[in-house]
Amino acid sequence: METGPCCSLWKPWGLAWRTQILGHGDEASSCCHKSCSSVTPCSRRRKSMCEVLSPGLAVSVLKAIFQEVHVQSLLQVDRHTVYSIITNFMGTREEELKGLGADFTFGFIQVMDGEKDPRNLLVAFQIVRDLIAKSYTLGPFVEELFEVTSCYFPIDFTPPPNDPHGIQREDLILSLRAVLASTPQFAEFLLPLLIEKMDSDLQSAKLDSLQTLTACCAVYGQKELQEFLPSLWSSLRREVFQTASEKVEAECLAALHALSACLSCSVLSSDTEDLLDSFLSSILQDCRHHLCEPDMKLVWPSAKLLQAAAGASLRAYHHITRSVLPLLLEQYTRHSQSSQRRTILEMLLGFLELQQKWGHMEEDESTLLSLRASVCSVVFSALTDPNVQLQLVGIRALTVLGSLQGFLSPSDLELVVDHLIRLALHEKDFQSSEAAMEAAGSLAPVYPKVFSGHMVPRLEEELQSEREKESSHDHCSLRQRCLQALAAVSTHTSIVRETVPVLLQHLRKVQKGSEAGSTQDMVFVCQSLHRVALQCQQDVEGCWFYHQTVVPCLLAMAVQAAMQESTQPLLGKALLEEEVLAAMVPVISAATTHLSPELAAQSVSHVVPLFLDGEVSFLPQNSFPCSFQPFEDGECLEAQRRLVALLMAFVCSLPRNVAIPQQERLLRELLVLSCSCNCPFTATTAAKCFAGLVNKHPAGQQLDEILQLAVNRMEPSLAEGPCRMQTLTLLLWVTKALVLRYHPLSSHLTDKLLGLLGDAELGPAAADGFSLLMAESPDVLHKGCHADVRIMFRQRFFTDNVPKLVQGFHGAGPDMKANYLKGLSHVLNHLPKPVLVTELPTLLSLLLEALSCSDRVVQLSTLSCLQPLLLEAPQIMSLHVDTLVTKFLSLTSSPTMAVRIAALRCAHALTSLPITVLLPYKARVIRALAKPLDDKKRLVRKEAVAARGEWFLLGSPGR
């Protein structure tokens, strides 16, 4: 018989033994041959061996192994085979093995006893879990089974370097923990062990013990814990009071929470003592008095322990809060210092947040309801305190109180609104103002009638009164806060219906005004409208109301301003300025992206004809002095052409499955406008709109025709003429649109762009265009506006084009090399770092050369690229440490602040390289970094301090 590698297990016993077990030699030989000569993996061969055995023979095999074989004297692979045989038998012969009773458990204990190999231990731990989970008989061997597994606790294993098996310490810890926490029968042996290990000086042992205790509480009951509760509480309390480790503290609190939850869930008989009450009483006895200590040293540890226990169940919460909440309220009144009051209020807040878990409060049980007046008084007093930090805690507490159903009375709610308005509008500190607005946004959906009936009218009144006052800085700031508050509170559809008309009415008034600051006012209104749009995107009703209210209104105001502008100078009309139009773009985009296809189709049927045919009937107040023709020629229509930005915001945000009427005509008009318009803003927005539509256009003949038309238009315009820069902008955006969707034409357009790097006029702009190709665009061509963006498009672009950039750099003249370096640095700067690290050896020399380029953009982009590489690829970077040190120190004196900051950050990152490489440069770097310490810019000085400090500590003990 041909033997295989698994026969080493059978070899010591010989064929005679196999014959005795299996009945006759042919069957023995067949069994072994089937298990050893198969080409399948060993585990499958051993399972096949189990499957050919007749009933009862599995028991005989195991008995023979248990009685005749000293398993721990075998090689690791043979021991692993024994464990695998047992595992397979447990899976296929469960009833037969259970017939052995406790003998099977005892036999396995003998097999496992003394095992040290982690590969075998993982299998052995799994067998123990199966023994318990499948209810095998443990008999009198519970303690022996516990001892044979618990001897490995806590796990102390460090995997060898380059371990091919990949077994980590955490794998063994989790596997053993699952064993120890698998049955309450281990409790009397395990809990003393855990208490002992919690007192260990090793943090890893403490953490493992605490995590195991937490896991045990999920399967233990009151009976298992009763004897050990005092010792467990003593150990947990000591660790929380004394430890300096946040990890240990967190695990102690988790364990206490689990103990309290376990006692809360235990089913009690009529004559059984309720251990939860006595356990919580012990906690209160040991912690409560610390809340009253004048020095407040142990206030926070005590509060954390109490909150951990109280958070386990509603019963535990009531038991603790009955004693603690009145005490905290009393302490808040006794202390007059804001810092002490803040600490007490933060503790009170912790208990308030726990109440949120239990939902509705019962009148007869809730301590919080009985203390409603006192709690509200404390929170409201914090809101009027001059200390900002106390105010912030008070605002958080107010938010929690408002979320508790039935807690605040109608008069309390009116007072809440008054406080929030005062803080949002008149509080000098920005943090408190912003926090109050966030709180209003959180509470508005809970009390929509209160906020729409009280807060919105008050804000509208404030806005109106401020509008009539002088445009001083303070009044402008107050108007801005009013607008922000109106947006923040718009978190419910009914409130959105109130706030949106107020914001639009204010925008109309600003448009009619003539103040110098009207442009900034319009931007503020648009920012508030954008925030409202984002907040109601997930609500179908609110989103549609917002869209059909805001989008036509903005378009009507813009069209009205553009038509009036046809016979007047452009200056003075704030609504048509680039800053305002750019602020309106995200408003319209956010109002469109989440529309259903049906509603989007209804809207697009109005907006596109407006721009193509001048169809204004759907606009409010549509009596305009002349026709709207943004795609017609004529200098007097320049203002109308600027509104293509609003068309871009709308059509480029539509879902891909929404058909755009007259799309081919629209694309042709946009193509002409983007190449011929003298206004850079209009030409760019037309190019972006064209690119956004091309990106979503279904593949086919129509797309090929429009792309060919675009190429035919761009190529001659790029070669010569007055519109070369506009055409380059169009080329960049169309290339990006096609690169994102892996269109075949993208490679041709990219080659065209690479060719322009050698152009004296367009080369620098073309190089900057590589940043546009790789970066995320904020308004079009991103996933948020439903663009067709394929995964790993950056990696593909890198693979296809970086070799061409490198080749072009080597072949370019001295004056053009900077363009190739700039393009390369932009590509690398946006590439995922793991990809860049793999390509670093071939590209590093070019990156170092880019640091010598005089172009500030190249310098900044290259430094931004190198900084993470110093941290992620120190071995490769250390080969060029001399050049890196020289370049970085030189750039710390750059006239550009951003370059100086980036160079200092790179000098800081250099300290991650091997110390032996850096030590020869230590003195030189420390001397050079003394100069930036006196830089006139604070941010530069800050980076210089951090970098120089790290270099000072280089080579120090413990580093």
Side-chain angles (χ1 to χ4, degrees), residues 55-73:
L57 291 180
V59 172
S60 301
V61 170
L62 287 182
K63 281 184 176 180
I65 293 175
F66 293 159
Q67 296 170 7
E68 304 295 335
V69 184
H70 185 249
V71 174
Q72 290 305 314
S73 66

Side-chain angles (χ1 to χ4, degrees), residues 596-888:
S596 66
E598 297 76 18
L599 296 177
Q602 181 180 335
S603 187
V604 75
S605 65
H606 297 303
V607 175
V608 172
L610 167 67
F611 282 85
L612 288 179
D613 305 316
E615 180 55 60
V616 298
S617 58
F618 81 102
L619 297 177
Q621 303 173 353
N622 53 19
S623 56
F624 301 115
C626 59
S627 59
F628 183 59
Q629 300 172 320
F631 291 113
E632 295 296 325
D633 293 329
E635 292 185 9
C636 62
L637 299 177
E638 175 58 34
Q640 296 186 18
R641 285 195 284 271
R642 297 167 75 84
L643 301 192
V644 171
L646 306 185
L647 173 67
M648 173 201 73
F650 177 78
V651 297
C652 291
S653 301
L654 292 168
R656 268 186 271 174
N657 57 353
V658 175
I660 298 176
Q662 307 181 71
Q663 184 171 11
E664 307 310 314
R665 176 187 167 194
L666 178 60
L667 284 167
R668 293 173 189 272
E669 296 284 9
L670 289 168
L671 179 61
V672 172
L673 184 61
S674 62
C675 289
S676 59
C677 183
N678 292 324
C679 173
F681 176 80
T682 303
T684 300
T685 53
K688 291 162 74 172
C689 189
F690 180 86
L693 292 175
V694 164
N695 175 264
K696 297 181 188 179
H697 199 295
Q701 183 179 357
Q702 288 184 333
L703 178 62
D704 294 340
E705 290 177 356
I706 198 68
L707 288 176
Q708 189 58 51
L709 182 66
V711 171
N712 294 340
R713 178 98 188 192
M714 288 188 290
E715 286 184 342
S717 297
L718 285 170
E720 58 182 359
C723 298
R724 297 186 74 202
M725 190 59 72
Q726 293 94 314
T727 308
L728 173 61
T729 302
L730 175 64
L731 172 63
L732 287 169
W733 282 104
V734 174
T735 304
K736 182 179 180 69
L738 299 183
V739 164
L740 291 178
R741 62 179 287 177
Y742 289 178
H743 192 279
L745 187 61
S746 62
S747 59
H748 171 72
L749 297 183
T750 307
D751 290 342
K752 179 70 66 176
L753 187 60
L754 288 167
L756 291 173
L757 292 175
D759 187 283
E761 179 185 356
L762 299 181
D768 285 329
F770 281 89
S771 177
L772 185 151
L773 295 180
M774 300 293 284
E776 186 83 8
S777 175
D779 44 12
V780 295
L781 296 178
H782 60 86
K783 290 184 179 180
C785 64
H786 312 289
D788 186 358
V789 181
R790 304 296 177 88
I791 61 172
M792 298 196 296
F793 76 90
R794 292 183 177 88
Q795 289 89 319
R796 180 170 176 170
F797 187 87
F798 170 85
T799 303
D800 292 344
N801 296 292
V802 164
K804 299 176 184 177
L805 278 169
V806 174
Q807 182 181 359
F809 168 80
H810 291 302
D815 296 338
M816 297 297 134
K817 284 184 179 291
N819 295 336
Y820 289 91
L821 288 175
K822 183 187 291 188
L824 177 64
S825 65
H826 283 316
V827 173
L828 299 182
N829 206 27
H830 291 92
L831 196 66
K833 292 303 176 283
V835 179
L836 183 54
V837 168
T838 60
E839 302 292 335
L840 187 58
T842 59
L843 296 173
L844 187 54
S845 58
L846 280 178
L847 287 173
L848 296 176
E849 189 162 349
L851 291 177
S852 302
C853 180
S854 59
D855 191 300
R856 305 305 178 197
V857 176
V858 177
Q859 293 174 353
L860 185 59
S861 180
T862 306
L863 289 169
S864 301
C865 182
L866 286 173
Q867 183 191 353
L869 293 177
L870 289 165
L871 304 173
E872 296 177 24
Q875 298 301 325
I876 299 174
M877 302 297 282
S878 61
L879 300 175
H880 302 269
V881 64
D882 188 72
T883 305
L884 290 169
V885 168
T886 303
K887 301 286 188 184
F888 294 159

